[in-house]
Amino acid sequence: MAHKVTLIPGDGIGPEISQAARRVIDASGVAIDWEVVEAGEALIEEHGTPLPPYVLESIKKNGIALKGPLTTPIGKGFRSVNVTLRQELDLYANVRPARSLPGITSRYDNVNLVVVRENTEDLYAGIEHNVGKDAAESIKIITREASERICRHAFDLARSQGRKKVTAVHKANIMKLSDGLFLDCARRIAEEYADIEFEDMIVDAMCMKLVQSPDNYDVLVLPNLYGDIVSDLCAGLVGGLGVAPGANIGLKTAVFEPVHGSAPKHAGKNKVNPLAILLSGILMLQHLEEHQAADSIMHAVTAVLNEKQKVTYDLGGNASTSEMADAIIEKLPR
Ligand code: NAD
């Protein structure tokens, strides 16, 4: 029976990359019944919101979604649609693997780590207000419940993927109460997983060490804001945002999306790399236990990257988004 999956094309480059990913996934032979729902900037005029209720209803009904990026105007207007989705669906774990891929020239060829980012609280809760007209205050929320849940997720992920070490990342030397609580939770949960090595690291030192020797790290677990920043750093270690996939996991639903945003300056040019959303699609197929399709697509991607003939500009080529997708489809088993 076909899996029913919500597909949100998204803003900016979203429609072109999600179309490319959909074509490749369909060509792999896996049976997916896509329910396409629109969200984003274009809907504000008609619906008064970039996130009409039918979007959440569709994801709740199907339990799974592949999502293109959605634009959030800086400094004004609507609250981030992405943050709203994660909070409304309680997608508490943002999982972002960073793995060196063949054929991609980057600083390292031996990176294989996973960033596990808490996805529901911290400064990302967006609770802020003006204090007079020359100051603003933002509230950082860290709770035991959310911290223990994300740390447990990180250790479970390490165990299920045969990984050896979890590093909790924080700034508890300065934010003694909030990050101190996160660190305390990480230490407590670590005691339940004697088979997995545990260490903690201050976020600034973590950034330096990741740039110097990323192969020393395996699973990183972080509060929301540090996770957002460090995962882009990790994307930079393996070839950039064009190849960085992500998953937002909750108890009942999961939404798979690239780490990158809507890149408005490239929109409509059929130019950007479809891999970040396609690799997110592979994570989705693994979640659906469609391992054969996931493996076939990964082999096809690897073949195209190794040949370096049909890759997009960010990987040093001049293929378009759709040409790269066609090349991957060509490599799929018939
Ligand atoms: P961005 O990730 O959209 O783009 C930054 C740059 O990265 C681009 O200009 C481009 O050079 C490169 N890039 C991104 N995706 C690429 C791809 N697939 N292939 C090749 N190069 C790629 O970041 P931004 O410009 O800061 O954000 C634009 C909008 O996206 C903002 O409104 C932001 O809020 C939103 N955003 C959404 C999400 C999401 O939907 N989850 C995530 C991040 C940013």
Side-chain angles (χ1 to χ4, degrees):
M1 211 175 75
H3 302 280
K4 190 134 191 182
V5 172
T6 300
L7 179 66
I8 304 170
D11 289 317
I13 57 172
E16 49 211 276
I17 55 168
S18 50
Q19 172 66 8
R22 176 181 176 167
R23 288 201 295 118
V24 175
I25 292 170
D26 286 344
S28 76
V30 65
I32 304 257
D33 178 5
W34 300 98
E35 183 169 291
V36 180
V37 295
E38 300 291 341
E41 280 187 312
L43 300 184
I44 296 176
E45 200 173 313
E46 190 188 335
H47 294 266
T49 167
L51 187 64
Y54 61 75
V55 180
L56 284 172
E57 280 158 24
S58 169
I59 303 174
K60 280 181 186 160
K61 174 168 59 80
N62 297 326
I64 193 147
L66 184 62
K67 170 185 164 298
L70 294 167
T71 297
T72 302
I74 292 176
K76 60 181 166 58
F78 292 92
R79 184 167 175 238
S80 162
V81 184
N82 301 304
V83 174
T84 309
L85 264 178
R86 292 168 193 163
Q87 288 182 348
E88 291 285 325
L89 299 169
D90 198 18
L91 300 168
Y92 67 90
N94 188 196
V95 177
R96 294 177 163 182
R99 191 171 197 158
S100 300
L101 290 163
I104 295 185
T105 313
S106 64
R107 222 166 275 272
Y108 299 98
D109 58 9
N110 55 354
V111 180
N112 181 5
L113 55 85
V114 184
V115 174
V116 178
R117 164 189 173 191
E118 202 289 322
N119 220 9
T120 63
E121 55 181 29
D122 193 2
L123 285 164
Y124 249 81
I127 303 171
E128 48 180 16
H129 55 261
N130 289 318
V131 182
K133 65 178 175 41
D134 295 321
E137 198 168 58
S138 205
I139 294 173
K140 172 165 168 132
I141 296 184
I142 300 285
T143 65
R144 183 175 299 283
E145 187 188 359
S147 302
E148 288 190 350
R149 182 162 72 160
I150 198 65
C151 291
R152 198 164 268 124
H153 193 94
F155 278 97
D156 284 341
L157 179 142
R159 222 178 232 173
S160 70
Q161 296 188 4
R163 292 177 178 272
K164 304 275 177 271
K165 181 169 79 170
V166 171
T167 306
V169 185
H170 60 88
K171 188 83 185 173
N173 53 331
I174 303 298
M175 275 157 282
K176 294 182 190 299
L177 299 184
S178 51
D179 282 18
L181 175 59
F182 181 83
L183 177 57
D184 182 54
C185 292
R187 285 182 173 147
R188 254 191 29 73
I189 298 298
E191 287 170 8
E192 296 173 20
Y193 295 82
D195 51 323
I196 311 279
E197 189 189 337
F198 173 73
E199 66 180 2
D200 71 273
M201 182 93 48
I202 293 174
V203 63
D204 38 347
M206 183 81 248
C207 291
M208 186 196 70
K209 292 194 176 212
L210 278 170
V211 170
Q212 285 183 328
S213 44
D215 52 316
N216 280 346
Y217 301 96
D218 202 351
V219 178
L220 310 182
V221 62
L222 313 90
N224 206 338
L225 183 63
Y226 307 146
D228 183 42
I229 298 165
V230 169
S231 57
D232 269 34
L233 187 157
C234 291
L237 295 173
V238 296
L241 286 174
V243 297
N248 299 285
I249 310 284
L251 289 178
K252 295 194 187 131
T253 45
V255 176
F256 296 83
E257 62 175 341
V259 171
H260 66 71
S262 56
K265 71 177 179 196
H266 297 309
K269 295 183 183 159
N270 191 24
K271 175 182 173 187
V272 296
N273 194 336
L275 272 193
I277 192 165
L278 180 59
L279 297 175
S280 307
I282 292 178
L283 295 177
M284 180 187 85
L285 293 174
Q286 289 164 344
H287 185 86
L288 291 169
E289 302 201 343
E290 291 287 357
H291 296 291
Q292 201 179 336
D295 291 349
S296 310
I297 297 173
M298 198 60 219
H299 281 127
V301 166
T302 306
V304 168
L305 290 175
N306 273 325
E307 286 180 8
K308 292 188 183 165
Q309 297 298 315
K310 294 280 181 187
V311 295
T312 46
Y313 78 97
D314 57 312
L315 301 182
N318 54 17
S320 67
T321 308
S322 51
E323 284 169 344
M324 188 164 171
D326 289 340
I328 296 168
I329 291 169
E330 272 295 301
K331 300 285 184 195
L332 286 169
R334 309 221 167 252

